[in-house]
Structures are given as C-alpha cells and as structure tokens.
Amino acid sequence: MIVFGDSYTSGENNGNVSFADYLGIEKYGISGTCLDDYSIYPVKGGLVSQINNCTGKVLIEYGVNDAASLVTGYVSIETVKEAIAKVCDLLKNADVYFLMLSCDFGDLMKFSINYAKYLNSEYMKDLCDVTAEDFLWCYSRVCELLQRKFKTLYMLPKGFNEFDVDGIHPTDKGYRIIAEKLKQQLS
C-alpha cells in the first residue's frame, strides 16, 4: 500500500510524521501539491508527475489545494476534471481510494473557515477575499468529482478538533487519530 498526497501526507507541520507513518505505509507527500501542476503554492508537479506504474492499493490524499487553486480563480473546474482523468488513466491498474477530510458538513465548514482565513490574512493577504462558503463549495466539487472515480475513505472523525495552531493541519495526536480511522475503514 502507498499513499500520495499533500501536507497531510507529508506531515510537514509535524516533523514529517503523518498518518501514513502511523499506518506503516509508504508515502509520497509534498506540501502544497494538487492532482496536477496547478498549485497556487510554490511547488512543482502534482500527483500526475509522481505516479509511476502503481499497482495494488493506492491512497490519494488531495483536494484541499486543488480547491484553493479553484476558489482563487487560478484554475477552472475543467482543469481539475482533466487532472482527474489523467490520474484515472495512470492508476488504471491499481485499487485506488480517495482520502476525503470528512463527510460531516459542520466539520467541513469549520475547516473551510480556517482555510479561508489563512488565504485571506496570510498567504494571499490583500490579494483575494475568499469566503468559507466559496472554499467549501470548491472543495465539495473537487471531492464529488473524485468520488465518481474512486472509492472514498474519510480521514477525520466527526467533531475532530486535533488541529495545529493554524486550524488546518492535524497535531501529532490528530495524525494518530486519522491513522486509526483509516485503519478501521481499510480492514
């Protein structure tokens, strides 16, 4: 089993220890990446450029940065659809699972509030005005498209509160909770 993803997979905020490490699985996580090379963050590549003839069980943890690129107008929904089609083609011989944050609207809204705040007051300060509702709509749209193609696992249990100071990334305890939740869904 292998997982590809962004900062949740890399565990960048946690000394590069993430849920993947607690599951004992191979990980390829690059903070800020998207499904393809269209991130608003200063990173090169995306999932499409990382995949190399994968077979077996593959977990893909993307969507948040894709939604950020979408909500800021950097890419269109058509670009995201094309990326999903590329990923499907490259992973056609694998058993693929999409890792979505949650299916709980309240938890997703809380996350979206924090992410919109981060974009507006830190990363893109004075450059954009993203609402939590718009971010959540974009994240939900990306997830809905990924769910059309891949089985879905949910990372955060209902009411998850183990976030780092940014309100976006999990704490070490949070990564352990995510690992346990995924382990239960995979067995």
Side-chain angles (χ1 to χ4, degrees):
M1 186 177 342
I2 187 170
V3 60
F4 293 93
D6 56 30
S7 57
Y8 265 56
T9 298
S10 72
E12 182 179 301
N13 70 305
N14 192 44
N16 295 317
V17 176
S18 77
F19 67 89
D21 298 288
Y22 293 121
L23 285 171
I25 60 175
E26 188 176 359
K27 70 178 184 181
Y28 289 92
I30 302 171
S31 183
T33 55
C34 297
L35 292 165
D36 207 349
D37 192 13
Y38 52 73
S39 179
I40 61 171
Y41 302 107
V43 294
K44 287 287 186 193
L47 175 59
V48 169
S49 65
Q50 294 178 59
I51 301 170
N52 186 10
N53 194 26
C54 292
T55 58
K57 198 171 285 188
V58 176
L59 310 178
I60 57 171
E61 178 271 311
Y62 288 93
V64 171
N65 298 322
D66 301 86
S69 294
L70 188 59
V71 76
T72 58
Y74 189 61
V75 297
S76 70
I77 195 65
E78 297 309 315
T79 301
V80 175
K81 288 178 184 178
E82 290 166 10
I84 293 169
K86 290 177 189 178
V87 169
C88 286
D89 189 40
L90 290 166
L91 291 175
K92 63 185 168 218
N93 296 318
D95 184 19
V96 184
Y97 292 82
F98 162 56
L99 305 184
M100 185 173 168
L101 289 175
S102 175
C103 61
D104 182 80
F105 178 80
D107 288 342
L108 289 174
M109 179 51 81
K110 184 170 70 170
F111 180 87
S112 297
I113 289 167
N114 291 332
Y115 203 91
K117 179 181 172 189
Y118 166 72
L119 287 175
N120 293 332
S121 62
E122 291 183 47
Y123 189 72
M124 296 193 72
K125 185 176 183 177
D126 301 326
L127 298 173
C128 74
D129 187 23
V130 172
T131 68
E133 292 79 11
D134 287 344
F135 180 82
L136 179 55
W137 185 90
C138 289
Y139 180 71
S140 298
R141 184 72 174 120
V142 170
C143 292
E144 184 264 325
L145 292 169
L146 285 162
Q147 289 176 310
R148 287 184 191 178
K149 296 295 189 177
F150 307 115
K151 295 168 270 195
T152 303
L153 303 175
Y154 298 99
M155 297 191 308
L156 309 179
K158 184 172 175 40
F160 183 85
N161 283 316
E162 285 299 324
F163 288 105
D164 212 338
V165 294
D166 63 6
I168 298 169
H169 296 91
T171 61
D172 186 65
K173 181 179 178 184
Y175 282 118
R176 291 176 190 269
I177 291 169
I178 291 168
E180 188 57 38
K181 181 158 177 70
L182 291 174
K183 186 177 180 180
Q184 290 170 2
Q185 293 172 83
L186 288 165
S187 59

